[in-house]
Amino acid sequence: MKVQFVRQTLSTVEADAVVLIAFEGDGKPKGGLAELNSGNGGWVDEVRASGEFHGKMLETAMLHRPKGLKAKRCVLIGGGDAKVFGPAQMRKLVGALARKLKTHSMAHAALFLDGALATEDLAQAATEGAILGNWEPTVHKSDKKDVRFLASFTVSTAKGNLAAPVERGSIVATSQNFTRDLVNEPANLLTPMVLAKRAQEMAAEEGLECEVLDRERMEQLGMGSLLGVSMGSSQPPALIVVRYRPAKAKSKDHLALVGKGVTFDTGGVSIKPADGMEKMKYDMAGGAAVLGAMKALAKLKPSIAVTAFVPAVENMCSHNAQRPGDIVTAMSGKTIEVLNTDAEGRLILADAMEYARRQGCTHMVDAATLTGAVVVALGHVHIGAFSNNDEMFDRVAKASKGQGEKMWRMPLDDEYKEYLKSPFADLGNIGGRWGGACTAAYFLKEFACDTPWVHLDIAGTAWLDETKPDMPKGPTGVCVRTFIDLALGW
Ligand code: BES
Ligand code: MN
Ligand code: ZN
C-alpha cells in the first residue's frame, strides 16, 4: 500500500473515499465538515438531525459524488466522545475504517484532518491504523479472489506538514505487521532456525547486527535450562541476538528486549490436550515482537543501545525429550527441577536473561506467551506486567499507555518463592495450582537478579480469537509499539 501525506484542501483530495471524522455532540459543522455541508445542501446537518448519524464511535454515513469535491465518495465516521479521543482511538478508528473500505473495493482512501485533529500524534496513529487494518493472515490461501486490500492511504491537511509523523507511523505499523506475519506462520514452516534466518534477513535489510548462537555455542555457555527444552525436537535450537547501537549514545544504559520464541509448544512429555493445540504456533509471539521492534528501531534510531534476545526452540515430546523430574543447570548456575515440561517458556527465558545480563544490558524487558493463568486473571484485555523495579515499570507503563497496549501490574511478592521450592534442586519450574502467572514471573525474577526488569505475559493478548472491527482473528503484534516507544522515549 502506498502511504503518503499531501497538503491540500478538502475539495482537491482525489480518492475513492475521502473520510472526515465527526464527534458526538458536535455543534455546527466547522472546517472541512462545514465546506462539505454547505456545498451539499446541508447533508451533514441532515444525517445528524434524521438520527442516521450521531457521531458515535465507528458509526458511518456515506455521500456519493459529493458536490464541490474531487473524491468519488465522502465518508463521515464517528469518533465518539471528542474529549477522550486520542491516538489509541484514532488508530482503532482508522483500522476499522480501512477494513471496511477495502472489503467494499474503495482501494484509494484518504483521511482529511483539520482543527484539533491535525496533530502529529493523531496523523501517526491514523497511518498506523490504516496499515494495521490492511493486514490479513491470508499468505497461505491459494484463492485470493475475495481478499481485497487498500492500494493507497493518504493523510491530508489544508495547513501544515504532517509528512514526518505519517512516515513514522508507516515504519511502526509495517514492523508490527512483520511481527504478525512471523506469528501467523505455522510451526512446520517456521522452525527455530527459520526464525533465525528471518531475523538475519531483517537485520541485513535494516543494517543491524545479528548473531545466532547454535546448540554447540549454548552448550559451551552452559545454557542447560534452554537446551533441556530443545532436547525432544529434531529441530535445532537457536539463540537469536540482534543489536542496535546509536551513533551518539545519551547514556550508558543498555536495554535488553527478550522474547519467548517457542515455535511450537506441544507441552513436551507433560503433553497438552489436543483441543486448541494448533494455536500453540503463536508461542513465539514475544520473540516476534522484539524482532519487529528492532526492525522499526533501526530506522527510528533511538539514542540508547538496544539488544534483542530470542531464545528459539520447539517443545516436542519424543524419545529424546526431557522428562518430568529431570534436573538441569541454568547458565546462571542455579539448578532447576523440571516438574512439568510444559512450563518451558521460563526455562528458555532464564538462560536468555542471564546471557543478556552478561552482554552488559542494564535494563531488561521480556515479552512471553508464558501462562494460561494470565488469561484466567486478565482475559484478553490486559497484558500481565510484573517488575522488580518501580522506575522501570513506570517507563514501560508510560510507553504502553501512549500506544494503547493495555497492561496491568501484577504482584511479585517474595511469598511466591515458597511455591517454587524443590526438595532436590534450587528451584522447581512450576508453582502449583494457584497464582500461576505470578509464580511463573517469580521464576523469571530469580534470573533477572538485580537488573531493573519488566516481564510482560502476553498469552491473552498476542492472539485474537475472534475478528474485531479493526483486526482479523489471528496475531495482534502486541508489544511492538510499546517496545519502540520505550526505546525512543529513553
Ligand atoms: N505457552 C504456554 C502458555 C499458554 C497457555 C499460552 C495457553 C497461551 C494459551 C506455556 O508454555 C504453558 O504451557 N504454560 C503452562 C504452565 C503450567 C504447566 C505451569 C500453563 O499455563 O498451563
Ligand atoms: Mn508450555
Ligand atoms: Zn509455551
Side-chain angles (χ1 to χ4, degrees):
M1 176 171 58
K2 184 177 168 197
V3 176
Q4 59 179 352
F5 168 77
V6 181
R7 182 165 63 203
Q8 57 186 350
T9 59
L10 177 62
S11 60
T12 56
V13 177
E14 283 184 67
D16 292 326
V18 62
V19 181
L20 291 166
I21 302 172
F23 294 94
E24 249 173 310
D26 265 356
K28 266 177 70 180
K30 282 187 263 182
L33 284 169
E35 196 182 323
L36 175 76
N37 194 44
S38 63
N40 290 273
W43 178 74
V44 177
D45 293 333
E46 196 178 306
V47 290
R48 276 196 188 269
S50 66
E52 183 182 336
F53 181 89
H54 306 85
K56 289 202 177 88
M57 194 67 175
L58 300 189
E59 222 176 21
T60 55
M62 192 189 293
L63 180 64
H64 285 254
R65 292 192 215 100
K67 288 198 191 77
L69 267 62
K70 272 196 182 162
K72 288 187 192 148
R73 304 170 187 83
C74 183
V75 172
L76 205 58
I77 186 161
D81 182 353
K83 286 193 293 294
V84 300
F85 192 84
Q89 288 71 24
M90 178 65 103
R91 197 179 294 107
K92 267 199 175 164
L93 178 142
V94 180
L97 179 76
R99 288 177 54 74
K100 201 161 180 166
L101 294 181
K102 72 181 182 185
T103 48
H104 292 94
S105 297
M106 293 175 228
H108 298 280
L111 177 68
F112 189 78
L113 298 174
D114 61 7
L117 294 177
T119 68
E120 295 221 346
D121 285 354
L122 292 177
Q124 177 171 344
T127 308
E128 290 169 5
I131 296 170
L132 296 172
N134 212 22
W135 185 88
E136 292 293 334
T138 47
V139 270
H140 297 297
K141 290 250 188 207
S142 36
D143 181 3
K144 292 196 174 69
K145 267 201 323 289
D146 296 328
V147 189
R148 301 196 190 111
F149 293 98
L150 288 186
S152 76
F153 178 73
T154 305
V155 174
S156 281
T157 58
K159 285 180 277 185
N161 186 349
L162 296 175
V166 166
E167 172 63 16
R168 280 199 299 275
S170 171
I171 292 168
V172 168
T174 303
S175 301
Q176 189 172 337
N177 283 347
F178 166 80
T179 293
R180 294 163 89 189
D181 278 329
L182 288 176
V183 178
N184 185 52
E185 284 296 86
N188 61 325
L189 302 180
L190 194 109
T191 61
M193 276 303 168
V194 173
L195 183 60
K197 204 170 134 253
R198 295 277 196 102
Q200 279 170 325
E201 285 163 6
M202 179 277 288
E205 198 175 303
E206 306 293 349
L208 295 169
E209 191 189 312
C210 181
E211 184 185 357
V212 178
L213 281 63
D214 62 8
R215 183 186 280 138
E216 209 184 333
R217 181 77 190 112
M218 290 190 268
E219 272 165 11
Q220 287 168 356
L221 289 164
M223 296 185 171
S225 184
L226 187 159
L227 291 170
V229 176
S230 170
M231 266 169 47
S233 175
S234 59
Q235 296 296 334
L239 177 56
I240 306 163
V241 183
V242 181
R243 299 186 176 89
Y244 163 82
R245 297 292 177 268
K248 263 189 254 126
K250 271 199 208 141
S251 75
K252 290 209 177 92
D253 291 350
H254 181 171
L255 179 64
L257 301 177
V258 186
K260 173 176 174 182
V262 175
T263 58
F264 197 79
D265 184 10
T266 65
V269 170
S270 316
I271 197 163
K272 287 185 180 295
D275 198 25
M277 205 204 275
E278 72 283 353
K279 207 175 132 179
M280 280 301 126
K281 67 172 185 175
Y282 94 119
D283 214 16
M284 34 60 76
V290 312
L291 294 175
M294 294 306 284
K295 180 176 166 66
L297 292 176
K299 293 198 178 90
L300 297 171
K301 304 198 185 306
S303 55
I304 178 184
V306 186
T307 306
F309 301 87
V310 182
V313 301
E314 192 180 51
N315 190 23
M316 299 294 276
C317 37
S318 75
H319 61 283
N320 291 318
Q322 82 177 337
R323 296 136 293 242
D326 283 5
I327 295 177
V328 295
T329 306
M331 186 184 177
S332 74
K334 283 200 164 82
T335 58
I336 303 162
E337 186 183 9
V338 182
L339 293 162
N340 188 315
T341 62
D342 198 11
E344 85 297 343
R346 61 198 78 178
L347 293 173
I348 64 170
L349 290 167
D351 279 339
M353 287 165 65
E354 173 66 17
Y355 187 67
R357 278 163 42 80
R358 294 211 199 166
Q359 290 275 301
C361 294
T362 58
H363 296 75
M364 205 153 37
V365 196
D366 79 77
T369 46
L370 204 65
T371 66
V374 84
V375 195
V376 174
L378 300 172
H380 302 286
V381 179
H382 287 91
I383 295 164
F386 301 79
S387 183
N388 60 358
N389 181 290
D390 290 343
E391 202 184 316
M392 184 62 185
F393 176 79
D394 289 344
R395 281 184 190 267
V396 176
K398 187 167 164 253
S400 85
K401 218 176 211 146
Q403 296 303 326
E405 297 186 323
K406 289 179 195 261
M407 49 183 69
W408 197 262
R409 188 165 184 180
M410 305 273 284
L412 262 185
D413 300 65
D414 284 328
E415 283 88 334
Y416 289 110
K417 187 165 180 160
E418 294 292 310
Y419 290 60
L420 293 165
K421 271 197 173 148
S422 156
F424 311 114
D426 301 341
L427 279 171
N429 78 327
I430 55 168
R433 189 178 161 114
W434 310 114
C438 304
T439 52
Y442 199 95
F443 181 94
L444 296 182
K445 185 182 171 202
E446 291 284 310
F447 297 88
C449 302
D450 54 358
T451 302
W453 152 83
V454 174
H455 159 57
L456 301 174
D457 193 334
I458 57 170
T461 46
W463 187 272
L464 201 59
D465 286 325
E466 270 162 59
T467 295
K468 283 198 184 161
D470 62 326
M471 238 185 224
K473 172 180 175 148
T476 61
V478 76
C479 281
V480 172
R481 295 200 311 274
T482 294
F483 287 159
I484 296 170
D485 195 304
L486 176 68
L488 290 176
W490 204 272

